[in-house]
Amino acid sequence: MDPLSLLVGAGIAVTGFLAGRFGGRRRTAERPELPEPVCTCGHGLAYHDQESQACHGLVKTPVEFDKVYGAVDFEMRQCTCRRYVGPVALETFYAPEITD
């Protein structure tokens, strides 16, 4: 091999190494966050009863008010939500295996 082709090959290798070392890193595609099942009351599906759909969560409710600052004192009370209206997970179905 002639020395010129060796120098060209070494130059290409060094250029590729430096470009990979100091060049911008590839960013991996981030997965979009899954939506959390949240009702209009702010509670998830787990806080709602399956049959009656009533909410079992607690809500911060204002008790005392002031003319200047608005609500001054709060109390935790039962949520008055009557039905879950958020997204529902897909149901899983059992299908027996098909055999010939």
Side-chain angles (χ1 to χ4, degrees):
M1 295 191 129
D2 64 293
L4 182 62
S5 62
L6 290 175
L7 285 174
V8 169
I12 291 173
V14 168
T15 304
F17 175 76
L18 291 176
R21 181 76 174 155
F22 297 113
R25 297 238 181 225
R26 244 190 247 177
R27 298 183 193 246
T28 59
E30 294 182 21
R31 287 184 168 178
E33 293 185 22
L34 296 175
E36 292 184 22
V38 176
C39 185
T40 55
C41 65
H43 296 117
L45 180 60
Y47 284 97
H48 293 78
D49 189 13
Q50 292 291 330
E51 295 169 11
S52 68
Q53 295 292 321
C55 185
H56 297 290
L58 297 175
V59 181
K60 186 176 175 182
T61 309
V63 179
E64 280 187 39
F65 294 92
D66 188 7
K67 289 182 180 180
V68 178
Y69 299 108
V72 178
D73 191 21
F74 295 92
E75 190 176 279
M76 298 303 284
R77 293 187 181 168
Q78 183 71 33
C79 182
T80 58
C81 178
R82 298 289 177 211
R83 187 172 61 97
Y84 179 76
V85 294
V88 180
L90 295 174
E91 296 181 17
T92 56
F93 295 100
Y94 171 74
E97 198 172 307
I98 298 174
T99 57
D100 290 330

